[in-house]
Amino acid sequence: MVGDLAIGGGSPVSVQSMTSTDTADVFATTAQIRRLEAAGCDVVRVAVPDQKAAAAIRAIRDRIRIPLIADIHFQHTLAIASMENGADAIRINPGNLGGEEKTRRVVEAARHHRVPIRVGVNSGSIEKDLLAKYGYPNADDSSALIESALRSVRLVEKYGWDQIKISIKSADVLTTVNSYRQLAAATDYPLHIGVTEAGGLIAGTVKSSVALGMLLGEGIGDTLRVSLTRDPVDEVRVGFELLRALRLREHGPELISCPTCGRTRIDLFALAEEVERIVQTMTSPLKVAVMGCPVNGPGEAKQADIGIAGGRGQGLIFKKGEVWKRVPEEQLLAEFTTELRRMDSEFRSD
Ligand code: SF4
């Protein structure tokens, strides 16, 4: 359990993100977390680079609903301070905490506060003896990374704590996939999956979708983060689309829109963007279509619970492929939005 969120053991795959604000800035960090909550984010991680950030956790924690994970590197005292200030979990790499004694103190504090630990290891902190034995991890063999992660896990277990999840970092898609396959075969602990430093919206979404799609398709992964060089809210949106595509979880309406072609008579890109903005505030699993022409649109989007098809001067609102209403172009979006909101609230009150 991370706060009140179950991870692993058959629980739904949870979607995480990480704030990009200065954690010590309580106002900015809280505001960003609230936007993440509105997007459906299940659990948020904040960087704790200094004592000011660790101290801010208490005030942030009091102002948000979702569990908070403190991300610690190098200084074990920051991990202890974060837990004292109410962090629901910590993320550490025992390999960079400065020795076993410091890890012991962190684990004992975690036990005391009943705070789970995410053991996150990366290729940069693999012990020399493992590198000598297995070589640097690559897409074919990640034994050094796996062994390093398991060594860290055993260290946490040695001091009496087993509330653990594991992540291993790689920016390469195939190395990520093969590493997690090896790791899943070697342990029953829940796994946090993700491709690190994946890139901007397009590259990051593609890399994450390929890697996480392959893993989740094989039943590997209990919680995920899609890392993007973007507003973290986009990470959550991509995460949910990924889970929806795999039919693992749904969050809010599914938007279907046509790519447009020579028959398109309205500014469909702007319309689709506007509808996307509107559905983001909804929670029902409606299928919503935005199509470029009234001739083929309703038929091509038959599976949609409600759709809009733009024409010259007037457009259509359709339901399950049948025309529901013809509306002058200037009223199309407003009429559509009213009906969509009505259907969304009807669904929620059912
Ligand atoms: Fe073209 Fe109409 Fe199909 Fe859109 S719905 S791709 S505009 S034919």
Side-chain angles (χ1 to χ4, degrees):
M1 301 298 295
V2 176
D4 57 3
L5 179 77
I7 294 179
S11 306
V13 178
S14 49
V15 175
Q16 307 202 10
S17 187
M18 188 166 179
T19 51
S20 55
T21 51
D22 174 1
T23 305
D25 183 341
V26 173
F27 183 78
T29 304
T30 303
Q32 194 172 63
I33 295 174
R34 289 200 177 143
R35 289 176 51 239
L36 290 166
E37 286 176 341
C41 184
D42 295 303
V43 52
V44 67
R45 187 156 47 109
V46 301
V48 182
D50 51 35
Q51 286 293 348
K52 261 191 184 164
I57 286 177
R58 184 167 299 284
I60 296 167
R61 193 70 211 79
D62 287 347
R63 290 167 173 78
I64 62 171
R65 283 185 287 112
I66 54 176
L68 179 147
I69 303 175
D71 189 88
I72 317 290
H73 284 284
F74 309 118
Q75 290 186 57
H76 74 290
T77 50
L78 296 177
I80 295 169
S82 298
M83 290 186 273
E84 285 168 353
N85 285 314
D88 297 287
I90 55 167
R91 184 260 169 171
I92 56 168
N93 177 357
N96 72 21
L97 279 186
E100 182 166 337
E101 173 54 21
K102 290 177 177 167
T103 302
R104 181 187 66 78
R105 283 190 228 158
V106 171
V107 175
E108 285 182 350
R111 240 177 51 207
H112 174 73
H113 294 285
R114 311 215 53 82
V115 163
I117 297 176
R118 170 177 148 200
V119 171
V121 299
N122 58 50
S123 310
S125 61
I126 297 174
E127 298 85 337
K128 285 197 182 76
D129 64 315
L130 295 177
L131 285 176
K133 187 172 170 193
Y134 298 111
Y136 201 77
N138 58 56
D140 297 319
D141 185 10
S142 299
S143 299
L145 193 56
I146 308 304
E147 196 50 46
S148 175
L150 295 177
R151 210 178 252 188
S152 293
V153 166
R154 284 194 288 271
L155 194 57
V156 176
E157 289 171 334
K158 180 176 164 188
Y159 294 108
W161 198 223
D162 65 354
Q163 297 302 298
I164 298 168
K165 67 176 189 262
I166 312 173
S167 67
I168 41 181
K169 258 192 170 187
S170 172
D172 177 70
V173 170
L174 295 179
T175 306
T176 300
V177 171
N178 287 329
S179 302
Y180 275 101
R181 279 179 178 152
Q182 271 184 266
L183 186 60
T187 178
D188 280 336
Y189 280 117
L191 303 182
H192 168 113
I193 57 173
V195 179
T196 188
E197 291 128 29
L201 185 64
I202 294 180
T205 299
V206 170
K207 285 189 205 170
S208 297
S209 302
V210 171
L212 305 192
M214 288 171 79
L215 289 168
L216 291 165
E218 294 171 21
I220 298 171
D222 302 282
T223 181
L224 64 83
R225 177 186 177 200
V226 172
S227 293
L228 298 175
T229 314
R230 294 276 293 192
D231 180 347
V233 168
D234 287 331
E235 299 188 343
V236 175
R237 290 170 56 194
V238 174
F240 275 108
E241 280 307 323
L242 216 159
L243 293 176
R244 189 204 303 277
L246 292 161
R247 301 232 172 104
L248 288 172
R249 249 184 106 179
E250 287 193 354
H251 177 82
E254 177 178 5
L255 189 64
I256 305 159
S257 57
C258 81
T260 76
C261 71
R263 294 183 192 86
T264 312
R265 292 291 174 263
I266 53 162
D267 181 0
L268 196 76
F269 292 175
L271 191 63
E273 238 169 67
E274 190 58 25
V275 174
E276 193 177 357
R277 201 182 54 74
I278 294 164
V279 299
Q280 270 166 34
T281 62
M282 299 179 175
T283 50
S284 62
L286 289 169
K287 278 195 167 61
V288 179
V290 180
M291 307 299 278
C293 73
V295 185
N296 294 339
E300 286 182 21
K302 249 199 183 94
Q303 73 275 35
D305 297 297
I306 182 166
I308 193 170
R312 204 191 296 271
Q314 69 163 6
L316 297 179
I317 299 174
F318 58 92
K319 294 185 179 182
K320 296 279 183 199
E322 301 293 332
V323 177
W324 179 74
K325 208 171 192 179
R326 284 176 205 279
V327 188
E329 190 178 337
E330 59 280 6
Q331 292 163 22
L332 190 58
L333 185 64
E335 288 255 3
F336 176 72
T337 308
T338 306
E339 181 59 9
L340 179 58
R341 286 200 200 285
R342 193 196 61 73
M343 288 170 72
D344 179 62
S345 63
E346 189 179 274
F347 196 96
R348 280 185 282 122
S349 61
D350 269 357

